[in-house]
Amino acid sequence: MKILRAVLPLMVLAAACGTGAPQEAATGTVTGTSLTWAIETQPVTLNPHQWAQNKARLLVFNQFDALIARDKTGNFVPWLAKSWQVSPDHLTYTFELRDDVTFHDGTKFDAAAVKANLDQFGKADYNAVVKAIQLRNLDRTEVLSPTSVELTLKAPDALLLDFLASPYGGQVSPKSLQSAKDLKAGGPDLVGTGPFVLEAFVPGQEIRYRRNDAYAWPPATAAHQGPAHLSTLTYRILPTASVRVGALTSGQVQVAEGVPATEIPLIKADPELTFASELNTGTSFTYYFNVSRAPFDDKRVRQAFREAVDVDKVLASVYQGSASRAWSLVGSRSPFYDASLEKSYGGDTAKANALLDEAGWTARDAEGFRTKDGRRLTVRTVAAAPFVRDRRDVLAQAIQAQVKQSAGIDFQVKIVDAGTAAKAVEDNEYELFENSRGDSDVGAALNLILPAKGAINRTRHADPEVDAWLAEASTTSDPARRKELYVKVQQRVVTEEAIVLPVYQPADQIAAHRSVSGLGFDPSSGTPRSAYDVRIGT
C-alpha cells in the first residue's frame, strides 16, 4: 500500500511571551516543578472555539476554563458558573457566575465575556459549523448583571449544557478575541482563565506553558484548589510511537500519551513506570461509506465490504489485544449504545463473495481484483494527517490486505495534509470516510455526521426519518426517550442500510514515571485530562 504523507501546514507561528524562570506567587507559598509530556498529535489550532481533535482536549483545558464541567456520573457541575436555572419550558437558561475570575491579560471574567464568546460564533467565517449545528437553537444571550447571564433558545435543546462543558465552551478573553493576530489558529495572544498560560507554540516541536499563579477557580471535579502544582509544562510533539516511548524510558520526558500496543508490555514490565488506559466517549472509530458514488451506492457492496473484514483478527494483529471491537458507531460507554447489534454482521467471507457476485462484480483482473464492465472494484479513503492516531495507518494496511485476499476489493488509502483531504471531500473524490468523535454526549456527534445537511455527513446519505429521530432526541430531556430514538438511528444506519463499518472503540493511554502523580482521564471524554492536578514527588 502506498501511503502519501504531506507536511501539516504551520497554522500557528512560533511565538513566545518570555521563556525565563516561572513566576512564583508574591507570598512565596506557591512552589512547583517542571514537567515534560510527549504527545502524539500536533494540534491544528489552539483556539477552543475551533476545537476538532479529541487529542487536543488536554491542551485546551490547560489554558481555558468552561462555564460548567461533567463529573464521573455524567452530571453537570459548577466551574466558572456557580449555578444555573432552567425555565419549565426549557427555553431559558440563567447562569450565575463567579465574581473572582480574571483572564490572563488582566480582563475580568463576567457576563459580558460569556456573551462575547457566544456571539463570536455568529460572526461570518468564524465557525459556521458550530453556529449551524451546536448553537442552532440559541436565539440570544443577554447580560442581566455582571454575574448573571441569560441564554434564550428558539427550541428546547438537550445538548446545550454539553456544549457549554466542552472545549467549545472554553472562555476566551473578549480583548484577545478582538486583537489576536491569528484568531482561528490561536496562540499566546489568545488568552483564557485557565491554570496555565501559553508561552510558545513551536509547530512540529513543542508547546510551552507556565503556571497561572492567580488561579483559584477549578471545576468541581478537581482534586485540589488554588494554582497548579507544576511551575512549567512542556508538551513535546512526537508523532512516532517508538520515539515517544523511548523519550519516556530514557528520562527525556516524564509522561507520554498514545502508547501503542506493541510497547505496553515494555511499559508494564518497568517498575519505574506506570500505565493507564481509558475508553473514549462519543462515537467509535468507524468507516463511513459514501453512498453517492459507485460502488457503495449499491447496498450489497457495502454489506460485502463489511463481511470481507474479519475485524477481530485485524484488531488482534494491529493492537495485540488492547483494542475493543466496535459494533455500532455509538461507543459502548454511551448510555444510548445498542448492544443488540453485537455479532450481527461481519467476517463472513462466503457471504461477501456471494453479495459481490450478485451485484455483478464477477470478473477478475490480472492482479486478482474484481471487475465489472471493465472497471476495477476500487474504494478510496483520503485521511487528514492531523487526525490519524492509534496506528490507524497500520490498521488500514491490514484491512486493505484482508479485503483484497478475501473478496478481491481494491482498497486504496491516502494520508495527506488537511487541505488536500478537505479538497477530496469537496470534490466528492472518495468512497470511504473514517472518523471518530469524542463528544461526551454522542448525540452531538450524530447530529454532525448523519443528518442529510449534517456538517460532516460524508456518507451523503439522506433519510428523513433519521433526521426526525435525531431532531427529537436533541429536544427531549427524557433519557429513556432519547435512548429509544438513538437505538432506532443505530438500527437504521448499521443494520438496515449498512452505511457504516464500526471498527474499534478509541482509547487513550498514559505512561509515566512513578514520581508523577495526579494524572488521569477526563470523565466526560475518556481523554487525558489537563495537567492542573499533576505533580512530581510528594
Side-chain angles (χ1 to χ4, degrees):
M1 176 182 69
K2 184 178 182 181
I3 297 181
L4 302 181
R5 296 187 181 275
V7 177
L8 176 68
L10 301 184
M11 299 184 69
V12 183
L13 297 178
C17 297
T19 57
Q23 298 179 357
E24 301 295 342
T27 62
T29 59
V30 178
T31 60
T33 49
S34 298
L35 180 135
T36 304
W37 185 323
I39 58 174
E40 179 179 10
T41 307
Q42 174 165 292
V44 172
T45 173
L46 291 173
N47 181 338
H49 297 168
Q50 305 292 328
W51 170 76
Q53 296 163 287
N54 212 29
K55 282 283 190 177
R57 185 184 286 259
L58 79 164
L59 302 174
V60 169
F61 289 136
N62 282 324
Q63 188 180 0
F64 303 94
D65 298 318
L67 290 184
I68 55 179
R70 257 193 142 134
D71 64 17
K72 293 180 180 180
T73 65
N75 293 321
F76 294 102
V77 296
W79 197 343
L80 297 184
K82 297 189 298 182
S83 62
W84 56 95
Q85 298 281 337
V86 184
S87 63
D89 61 4
H90 295 276
L91 293 179
T92 304
Y93 289 69
T94 305
F95 293 87
E96 296 301 324
L97 310 175
R98 297 185 65 129
D99 63 0
D100 59 346
V101 179
T102 305
F103 287 100
H104 300 158
D105 60 7
T107 304
K108 187 172 180 59
F109 168 77
D110 56 13
V114 175
K115 176 175 170 57
N117 275 261
L118 290 171
D119 288 351
Q120 183 69 33
F121 286 104
K123 295 184 178 180
D125 195 33
Y126 187 64
N127 194 330
V129 171
V130 167
K131 178 62 177 176
I133 303 297
Q134 283 98 331
L135 291 179
R136 66 191 182 284
N137 291 321
L138 179 62
D139 184 35
R140 62 186 182 275
T141 304
E142 296 180 89
V143 174
L144 303 183
S145 76
T147 58
S148 183
V149 63
E150 183 178 271
L151 278 59
T152 302
L153 307 184
K154 293 176 285 188
D157 194 331
L159 297 171
L160 177 66
L161 293 179
D162 181 73
F163 172 84
L164 295 175
S166 77
Y168 289 126
Q171 296 297 294
V172 180
S173 165
K175 181 179 178 181
S176 64
L177 283 175
Q178 296 175 358
S179 62
K181 295 176 183 177
D182 193 342
L183 180 57
K184 283 193 173 183
D189 59 347
L190 190 73
V191 305
T193 62
F196 293 94
V197 178
L198 178 66
E199 285 200 324
F201 173 23
V202 185
Q205 297 183 39
E206 64 183 24
I207 306 166
R208 297 196 301 273
Y209 297 89
R210 61 177 169 82
R211 181 174 54 209
N212 174 12
D213 288 330
Y215 193 73
W217 42 85
T221 55
H224 82 285
Q225 298 293 310
H229 299 300
L230 300 171
S231 300
T232 61
L233 172 65
T234 300
Y235 290 94
R236 290 185 59 193
I237 302 166
L238 301 175
T240 303
S242 60
V243 174
R244 283 196 306 282
V245 174
L248 177 68
T249 56
S250 65
Q252 297 176 56
V253 303
Q254 291 82 50
V255 182
E257 61 89 19
V259 181
T262 52
E263 305 291 345
I264 291 176
L266 172 68
I267 299 295
K268 290 184 174 181
D270 191 328
E272 297 302 315
L273 301 177
T274 62
F275 175 81
S277 181
E278 184 83 7
L279 286 179
N280 296 168
T281 58
T283 59
S284 60
F285 177 66
T286 298
Y287 281 175
Y288 293 82
F289 303 132
N290 182 356
V291 303
S292 72
R293 292 182 57 97
F296 287 146
D297 57 341
D298 188 329
K299 178 180 173 180
R300 294 168 297 186
V301 179
R302 302 196 296 269
Q303 292 174 317
F305 191 97
R306 297 200 316 188
E307 297 299 335
V309 182
D310 186 334
V311 174
D312 289 322
K313 184 176 181 180
V314 167
L315 295 181
S317 172
V318 176
Y319 300 109
Q320 300 182 12
S322 66
S324 299
R325 177 171 183 171
W327 291 98
S328 172
L329 69 168
V330 174
S332 65
R333 280 192 58 182
S334 170
F336 307 124
Y337 175 66
D338 181 10
S340 72
L341 295 172
E342 296 177 5
K343 304 186 186 304
S344 63
Y345 62 88
D348 188 334
T349 299
K351 184 176 181 179
N353 283 284
L355 285 164
L356 292 177
D357 288 342
E358 183 183 330
W361 296 92
T362 54
R364 300 264 185 166
D365 63 18
E367 294 183 59
F369 294 112
R370 285 180 176 264
T371 62
K372 178 181 179 181
D373 301 328
R375 293 180 294 111
R376 178 182 284 187
L377 180 52
T378 300
V379 297
R380 300 165 296 168
T381 182
V382 183
F387 296 91
V388 176
R389 52 172 284 195
D390 300 344
R391 305 186 79 214
R392 290 176 181 175
D393 50 350
V394 179
L395 174 67
Q397 292 178 48
I399 292 176
Q400 179 191 58
Q402 202 171 76
V403 297
K404 176 184 179 181
Q405 181 178 7
S406 63
I409 300 172
D410 181 16
F411 179 33
Q412 298 181 1
V413 181
K414 294 181 180 180
I415 298 177
V416 297
D417 63 87
T420 301
K423 185 68 164 55
V425 170
E426 180 182 347
D427 295 342
N428 200 23
E429 287 295 331
Y430 66 98
E431 287 74 39
L432 189 149
F433 170 71
E434 55 186 70
N435 181 266
S436 66
R437 287 190 59 87
D439 304 85
S440 52
D441 189 314
V442 75
L446 298 183
N447 283 343
L448 290 168
I449 298 170
L450 295 179
K453 295 183 179 180
I456 54 173
N457 179 351
R458 306 294 190 242
T459 66
R460 302 181 185 256
H461 181 260
D463 187 327
E465 278 196 302
V466 168
D467 289 5
W469 293 334
L470 290 173
E472 182 183 347
S474 295
T475 59
T476 180
S477 58
D478 178 2
R481 178 57 178 162
R482 291 188 74 198
K483 178 161 187 177
E484 179 183 349
L485 291 163
Y486 287 135
V487 165
K488 286 185 178 182
V489 170
Q490 292 169 79
Q491 291 285 341
R492 177 64 55 85
V493 301
V494 178
T495 303
E496 297 171 25
E497 295 299 325
I499 65 170
V500 296
L501 170 58
V503 184
Y504 75 94
Q505 299 185 73
D508 272 286
Q509 310 83 26
I510 302 175
H513 284 270
R514 288 201 174 273
S515 60
V516 180
S517 61
L519 293 164
F521 299 93
D522 187 324
S524 68
S525 65
T527 58
R529 62 179 179 234
S530 79
Y532 172 66
D533 283 322
V534 176
R535 68 194 311 164
I536 300 177
T538 58

